[in-house]
Amino acid sequence: MSNKKKAKHQSKKNSVAKNIAGVGSLAICPGKISVGVSVSGTHVKAVLEGDVVEATATLIHKGKTLHTWHVEIKNSEEELISSVTVTNYIIKPRE
């Protein structure tokens, strides 16, 4: 989704953050399921169409059933685009 200036919509940035935090939770809890239960972001700069972004996730809390991640998304010039907090619920799959 883009606007007239070819800037990407904030929901795409939240999707990137949720995805990378989910992969992080799966990596540290093999055999379990990660379900995103909370996503809260601050979007400080637009991403223009065609620009490359890099997302870095840092684990803030690792409990038995909840993981909280801080995700920073930066553009190709390493400027902060978004700061997002993601909380994942960790569950065992049904047998």
Side-chain angles (χ1 to χ4, degrees):
M1 216 187 283
S2 300
N3 63 18
K4 292 179 184 177
K5 294 182 181 181
K6 302 291 183 183
K8 295 300 178 190
H9 194 272
Q10 293 92 330
S11 64
K12 290 194 181 229
K13 297 175 214 171
N14 279 350
S15 295
V16 168
K18 189 174 175 183
N19 189 302
I20 194 169
V23 169
S25 287
L26 292 175
I28 60 176
C29 290
K32 303 236 175 128
I33 296 171
S34 170
V35 179
V37 294
S38 176
V39 179
S40 177
T42 301
H43 308 287
V44 296
K45 190 169 183 149
V47 177
L48 299 179
E49 191 170 309
D51 197 2
V52 176
V53 298
E54 179 178 307
T56 304
T58 303
L59 185 62
I60 296 172
H61 171 76
K62 181 186 178 211
K64 289 182 181 179
T65 58
L66 289 176
H67 293 173
T68 301
W69 295 85
H70 176 253
V71 182
E72 285 192 348
I73 302 173
K74 296 183 179 182
N75 64 12
S76 58
E77 296 176 8
E78 297 189 17
E79 299 170 312
L80 182 65
I81 300 299
S82 294
S83 177
V84 184
T85 301
V86 179
T87 301
N88 292 327
Y89 184 55
I90 310 302
I91 58 176
K92 290 183 181 180
R94 292 182 183 165
E95 292 184 22

